[in-house]
Amino acid sequence: MRRSRRESAITVEGVRKRFGSGAQAVEALGGVSLEIADNAFFTLLGPSGCGKTTLLRLIAGFEQADAGRILLFGEDIGRLPPNRRPVNTVFQHYALFPHMTVAENVAFGLRRLGRPRAEVEDTVRRMLALVKLERLADRRPAQLSGGQQQRVALARALAPHPKLLLLDEPLSALDLKLRQEMRVELKQLQEETGITFLFVTHDQEEALTMSDEIAVMSEGRVQQVGSPREIYDRPKNRFVAEFIGQGNFLPVTLERMEGGEALCRTDFGAVIRVAAGEGIAAGGRATLAIRPERLRLVEPGDARAVFSGTVERLVYIGSDTDYRVRLDDGPPVDVRVQNAGGEATRYAGGERVGIAFDPAAARLLPEEE
């Protein structure tokens, strides 16, 4: 039975963790707080060293927090050893037992828990069906592909039906095509089982395609929590905007507010109208962020053009063409045009173009300190 999405599976309150001591101490987590809903696919996203794996290990019980609390369905699990937490983990390296068959690997945890033989056999059958490995039950890990081994590790972790499944970059060892296939399967597994998944990755595409919510982390702190669309379309700061997808970033001065829009002047003199940003007063400095696919190429002198410039280069990448346009008296910007009806190859290198965009497509970000 699926639990209510309104219930919190994990509550992280002011968690801090340092490694080492004295001048050599490194702060891995600096007061992290999170609320993760039950029956959600939640992703911790960030570069190496940002603290995401440390937080996962604290939840699993492999490390102890220096301060703060971690609650699982309202119970403080901070002092529970790993084997007493209703949590399972799938690591980057699957750690399957090479001398056991696929079925025996999946059954291992259930047998350690003392489950009846009939229940173990029935659960193994259901888990192998869930990950589409029924016909490989008698094979050993060495006889499986990387993707099949990953499915076995997932089935083994899901078999005891934990309240929470932790996944520490489990797709990173797979090739690109298999990673793309497994993203779909992982999300489907989460929805079918109703188990809360906490996924750790540095891959923005993995996070965007699978997650219900994402927490973007940097230097031991959470920068923003939101749905994939919120994180991508409405980043709170430049770090988030740069880490999630590509972006163009132009320094501007906010001249005045007009209704819900801001009139800004770029450092190279262009005056543009964009959606108002939060916490930026008239006369203040800000960064205008806009995604390459939100920009449109138009003819020079077109009334819709906000900027004008010269095409420096273009790169054909199948479904899209990427343009680099040098703005008049300004920096270069990237424009991504979908290849539909030959429109993407309309402009050539060295050609003059205008650049248009919807004011709502741009975002004003506070200037970095």
Side-chain angles (χ1 to χ4, degrees):
M1 180 178 175
R2 296 167 79 96
R3 295 181 288 268
S4 168
R5 287 189 62 90
R6 292 176 303 209
E7 186 179 5
S8 292
I10 308 170
T11 303
V12 178
E13 298 178 346
V15 167
R16 296 181 178 275
K17 179 65 179 178
R18 292 168 69 88
F19 292 102
S21 59
Q24 303 301 316
V26 175
E27 184 180 63
L29 294 172
V32 169
S33 295
L34 281 175
E35 196 84 20
I36 301 175
D38 183 27
N39 189 24
F41 196 119
F42 193 99
T43 296
L44 300 176
L45 175 67
S48 297
C50 71
K52 57 188 186 296
T53 295
T54 298
L55 180 55
L56 181 140
R57 291 178 61 83
L58 289 171
I59 293 170
F62 303 139
E63 304 283 355
Q64 296 298 309
D66 297 329
R69 297 197 306 163
I70 298 174
L71 309 179
L72 182 64
F73 293 100
E75 179 187 1
D76 190 337
I77 60 172
R79 296 186 179 277
L80 290 179
N83 65 326
R84 292 190 55 198
R85 301 187 184 198
V87 171
N88 268 351
T89 307
V90 177
F91 298 100
Q92 180 178 341
H93 302 290
Y94 310 131
L96 301 176
F97 299 110
H99 62 287
M100 293 184 182
T101 66
V102 166
E104 289 167 343
N105 266 281
V106 176
F108 179 79
L110 297 168
R111 288 173 176 157
R112 288 286 300 271
L113 293 171
R115 302 285 174 81
R117 180 176 177 178
E119 179 186 337
V120 171
E121 291 176 351
D122 178 63
T123 301
V124 169
R125 280 195 297 270
R126 287 189 293 107
M127 290 299 104
L128 291 181
L130 189 65
V131 297
K132 303 177 179 63
L133 290 178
E134 306 100 306
R135 292 187 296 176
L136 304 182
D138 295 327
R139 291 193 185 179
R140 298 188 188 279
Q143 298 172 294
L144 304 177
S145 68
Q148 290 167 339
Q149 290 182 35
Q150 196 226 37
R151 289 185 178 91
V152 177
L154 284 167
R156 183 177 63 182
L158 291 168
H161 201 79
K163 291 184 176 181
L164 174 66
L165 184 65
L166 307 175
L167 301 110
D168 188 9
E169 305 209 43
L171 306 184
S172 59
L174 305 179
D175 62 52
L176 176 61
K177 185 173 177 58
L178 191 52
R179 282 204 309 272
Q180 292 170 337
E181 293 173 356
M182 288 306 302
R183 290 171 196 162
V184 177
E185 293 190 18
L186 268 179
K187 180 58 179 170
Q188 185 174 343
L189 278 173
Q190 189 274 316
E191 291 175 346
E192 289 180 2
T193 61
I195 294 171
T196 303
F197 279 24
L198 178 57
F199 188 85
V200 165
T201 185
H202 63 273
D203 188 311
Q204 54 177 278
E205 193 172 325
E206 286 181 1
L208 291 172
T209 54
M210 292 190 295
S211 309
D212 296 314
E213 278 199 305
I214 300 169
V216 182
M217 297 185 66
S218 174
E219 298 181 347
R221 289 168 171 77
V222 174
Q223 300 294 314
Q224 185 173 352
V225 179
S227 69
R229 184 174 293 275
E230 289 169 340
I231 295 289
Y232 187 82
D233 287 340
R234 297 190 295 279
K236 286 189 174 180
N237 56 42
R238 181 158 179 170
F239 175 85
V240 176
E242 287 187 315
F243 195 79
I244 300 287
Q246 293 178 280
N248 297 297
F249 302 96
L250 301 175
V252 298
T253 299
L254 177 58
E255 295 202 334
R256 64 178 184 273
M257 302 292 295
E258 294 181 353
E261 293 185 332
L263 200 66
C264 301
R265 183 179 296 275
T266 69
D267 288 1
F268 53 93
V271 177
I272 54 178
R273 188 183 301 274
V274 297
E278 297 178 8
I280 306 170
R285 297 285 290 169
T287 298
L288 176 70
I290 187 163
R291 303 291 185 187
E293 69 274 12
R294 302 295 172 81
L295 298 175
R296 304 190 307 278
L297 295 181
V298 296
E299 294 293 332
D302 190 303
R304 297 170 297 173
V306 179
F307 304 127
S308 59
T310 303
V311 176
E312 287 191 335
R313 63 168 172 78
L314 61 154
V315 179
Y316 177 81
I317 53 175
S319 60
D320 304 305
T321 295
D322 283 348
Y323 286 85
R324 171 64 61 88
V325 179
R326 171 70 62 174
L327 300 182
D328 293 342
D329 300 319
V333 296
D334 294 318
V335 183
R336 175 163 292 181
V337 180
Q338 189 173 22
N339 292 334
E343 289 296 318
T345 56
R346 183 175 175 182
Y347 301 100
E351 195 167 347
R352 296 280 299 163
V353 294
I355 296 178
F357 62 88
D358 185 333
R363 184 157 180 83
L364 279 182
L365 304 175
E367 190 172 48
E368 297 289 323
E369 297 181 358

